[in-house]
Amino acid sequence: MSSRPSPRRTIAVVLAGGTGQRIGLEIPKQLLKIAGKPILEHTLHVFESAADVDEVFLLMTPDYVDDARRIVERAGLEKVTRVLAGGATRSETTRIAIRAASEGLGEGEDVNLLFHDAVRPLLSQRVVRECVESLERYQAVDVAIPSSDTVIVTRTHGGDGEFITEVPDRSRLRRGQTPQGFRLSTIRTAYERAAADPFFQATDDCSVVVKYMPDVPVHVVTGDEYNMKVTQPVDVFIADKLFQLASHAAPAQAGEDAYRSQLSGKTVVVFGGSYGIGADIARIAEGFGARVFALGRSTTGTHVENPDHVAEALAGAYAETGRIDFVVNTAGVLRVGRLDEAGDDTVREALEVNYLAPVNIARTAYKYLCETRGQLLLFTSSSYTRGRAKYSLYSSTKAAMVNLTQALADEWAEDGIRVNCVNPERTATPMRTKAFGQEPSDSLLTSEAVALTSLDVLLSEMTGHVIDVRKQDPTTNAAQRSAFEAALASVLIQTTEDGGV
């Protein structure tokens, strides 16, 4: 999390006034679903999660204000304090936001405004943070990336078509993105001056400052390629794929006290809990006070591919504790080899254990997780992003886990059930050793590290996400590592004293 650089409050203004006509939609494009959620909801979640943003105003296409309010309410977006009807133009919508932000301010009081297109749902926290930091020094901020294409200026010559008149120096050209940030006093003054111009027109807000307040420098924050705008039909497809492939950093390590307070008295059911990651999740959760049911073929005789076994396991846990808060499935099989050489039993096993079992676990767990508004946690593999030779069965079933996660997160959102998927880097587990033999230990994650990150996901409010677990995560700071080590050491010491290790 960023330390707040500015004493001024920051309001993110999400501009959702588009109609979707350019991509042939009957509804505004910001309401189109990508990765299981409306584009608008993805965008709002960026600011809901931003430590540097205090409040969010949503300016919506007038006929769909009620739809926007329902999205905000359903998603539990607490930072969204105003949902307002936008204007007929971008400039009119900005004026509405300026008036709303000015209400209730004392004399000389100022705030930061970040204007962002609702149809840019892949905005990064880095860009948000750097915009707010820049507004401490500058009055106006834009976000842009270098142009990778040569830009030409043309003119039309009768019926002969277009001809080049100029080729600007590409090294100085940038492609504008959003957010565009301003101190309220600056953008308000710029629009007041623009109102006196009978020829005023603008498609973005920085150009208003550049034209009507030329003495105010507009600082440029470097954007990123992912921060694309969904405008054309192909953009919908690309954004959907980017969401599918984009993974999220693990939530911050909670620390020993948080683990104990949030897990104590909760019921955790772990399928695939005989060894490896599943066994470590069970052991650590139990060490922090959870009631844990670790189920596996070799320990409890539980075959995840058998729907009756799954139903009996969940019913038994519920009968004993009266609740089920978390259901985790780490069970899986990895068979390496050519598909044309695989026998029927190998194919059947892969499909039943890696795909049908999670489906049945989800179906059976639903009624229990509804009661507690709990979470289902699935596991995928880095091979889900691209099928690899001799991994066809494994890769394809792991890709299915990502789609299942995103679909169920959407289906079960109104029931308050969260669904996430952990994507660990190569991890030292018995399943991996069986498939690949002994490998250098320093090249692999430990199953304990993946297990503790999995608990962090269970205790978070995330849903519909693929969470990467990497051996060397550059975003992991020393405090997080210390919390991890302290929490894990606490559990290891306790279980050793109890004879569990």
Side-chain angles (χ1 to χ4, degrees):
M1 281 193 176
S2 163
S3 58
R4 295 302 305 274
S6 172
R8 288 183 300 277
R9 289 169 51 251
T10 295
I11 301 173
V13 179
V14 176
L15 303 166
T19 62
Q21 291 180 348
R22 277 189 288 181
I23 55 177
L25 295 175
E26 295 181 356
I27 62 171
K29 55 192 174 182
Q30 58 270 24
L31 297 181
L32 185 71
K33 284 190 175 181
I34 287 179
K37 297 178 185 177
I39 294 174
L40 174 60
E41 185 175 340
H42 285 295
T43 303
L44 291 172
H45 268 295
V46 173
F47 295 109
E48 182 77 12
S49 303
D52 302 281
V53 172
D54 300 287
E55 198 172 350
V56 179
F57 290 176
L58 172 56
L59 279 294
M60 188 65 186
T61 303
D63 291 342
Y64 292 88
V65 170
D66 288 341
D67 297 81
R69 288 190 175 123
R70 281 192 289 272
I71 289 172
V72 170
E73 182 178 357
R74 184 191 68 181
L77 298 166
E78 297 179 354
K79 287 186 181 179
V80 181
T81 58
R82 306 286 294 271
V83 180
L84 305 170
T89 65
R90 168 67 178 265
S91 299
E92 186 178 335
T93 300
T94 296
R95 287 191 172 101
I96 293 171
I98 290 171
R99 287 195 294 271
S102 300
E103 293 175 3
L105 290 183
E107 185 176 353
E109 189 178 357
D110 214 348
V111 297
N112 296 330
L113 295 181
L114 299 181
F115 292 91
H116 185 67
D117 297 325
V119 288
R120 292 185 186 271
L122 289 157
L123 173 66
S124 71
Q125 294 294 336
R126 175 194 64 82
V127 171
V128 175
R129 182 179 65 252
E130 291 186 9
C131 284
V132 176
E133 289 173 347
S134 295
L135 286 173
E136 176 62 12
R137 181 176 180 183
Y138 304 99
Q139 299 178 49
V141 175
D142 201 356
V143 173
I145 57 176
S147 176
S148 57
D149 297 316
T150 297
V151 177
I152 60 175
V153 180
T154 68
R155 65 176 175 83
T156 302
H157 188 271
D160 295 331
E162 291 184 298
F163 295 84
I164 294 176
T165 60
E166 184 183 354
V167 181
D169 179 5
R170 190 174 67 183
S171 67
R172 298 183 59 194
L173 297 177
R174 300 292 183 270
R175 291 156 49 201
Q177 299 181 335
T178 62
Q180 293 184 335
F182 311 91
R183 297 182 192 176
L184 172 60
S185 56
T186 300
I187 192 66
R188 184 170 54 202
T189 299
Y191 268 92
E192 287 170 353
R193 294 179 182 178
D197 182 356
F199 303 104
F200 167 72
Q201 58 180 357
T203 57
D204 76 296
D205 298 310
C206 279
S207 64
V208 180
V209 172
V210 169
K211 182 172 183 179
Y212 297 100
M213 301 185 72
D215 293 335
V216 173
V218 179
H219 180 66
V220 178
V221 167
T222 302
D224 58 56
E225 292 287 351
Y226 270 65
N227 189 18
M228 64 176 291
K229 186 175 183 180
V230 179
T231 303
Q232 303 298 333
V234 69
D235 299 332
V236 177
F237 174 80
I238 293 172
D240 197 38
K241 288 303 177 185
L242 287 175
F243 263 108
Q244 186 182 51
L245 298 178
S247 53
H248 296 256
Q253 298 290 338
E256 181 179 349
D257 292 340
Y259 289 130
R260 200 170 300 282
S261 65
Q262 294 183 70
L263 285 170
S264 181
K266 299 293 175 63
T267 299
V268 184
V269 178
V270 182
F271 292 98
S274 295
Y275 55 81
I277 296 169
D280 285 325
I281 290 174
R283 176 169 54 85
I284 296 172
E286 190 170 39
F288 286 121
R291 293 290 303 277
V292 179
F293 295 82
L295 307 154
R297 182 175 306 203
S298 61
T299 51
T300 62
T302 304
H303 293 239
V304 291
E305 68 272 25
N306 187 324
D308 292 337
H309 286 197
V310 170
E312 290 168 7
L314 290 169
Y318 185 79
E320 188 171 331
T321 66
R323 62 186 298 137
I324 295 178
D325 300 276
F326 307 113
V327 175
V328 180
N329 180 49
T330 65
V333 293
L334 172 58
R335 301 288 183 261
V336 180
R338 292 173 57 94
L339 182 61
D340 56 279
E341 296 174 354
D344 290 345
D345 289 343
T346 297
V347 173
R348 186 180 301 107
E349 180 191 40
L351 295 178
E352 288 182 347
V353 175
N354 292 349
Y355 180 68
L356 289 179
V359 168
N360 284 322
I361 289 170
R363 292 172 64 204
T364 310
Y366 170 78
K367 65 180 180 180
Y368 301 109
L369 295 176
C370 259
E371 288 187 11
T372 57
R373 299 175 74 85
Q375 182 175 162
L376 172 66
L377 186 64
L378 303 174
F379 277 73
T380 186
S381 159
S382 59
S383 64
Y384 86 86
T385 59
R386 181 177 182 272
R388 298 180 180 130
K390 298 186 179 182
Y391 288 83
S392 56
L393 290 171
Y394 188 71
S395 296
S396 58
T397 54
K398 289 305 178 182
M401 287 306 96
V402 173
N403 282 277
L404 182 62
T405 295
Q406 294 169 338
L408 290 181
D410 187 33
E411 282 183 32
W412 295 352
E414 292 186 2
D415 301 307
I417 302 174
R418 288 159 290 129
V419 186
N420 289 297
C421 191
V422 171
N423 177 31
E425 196 177 35
R426 298 181 309 151
T427 307
T429 64
M431 182 179 78
R432 183 174 181 87
T433 301
K434 183 177 180 180
F436 300 104
Q438 292 296 328
E439 300 172 278
S441 59
D442 59 358
S443 69
L444 302 174
L445 275 168
T446 65
S447 60
E448 291 93 344
V450 179
L452 203 57
T453 296
S454 300
L455 289 178
D456 290 324
V457 176
L458 288 176
L459 299 179
S460 76
E461 292 302 314
M462 302 172 73
T463 188
H465 293 301
V466 178
I467 297 94
D468 270 347
V469 187
R470 295 289 176 256
K471 186 172 176 62
Q472 293 182 332
D473 185 349
T475 65
T476 301
N477 57 34
Q480 289 176 317
R481 288 195 297 272
S482 297
F484 171 90
E485 291 163 358
L488 185 57
S490 171
V491 173
L492 290 174
I493 291 170
Q494 183 64 45
T495 51
T496 300
E497 291 173 349
D498 293 342
V501 176

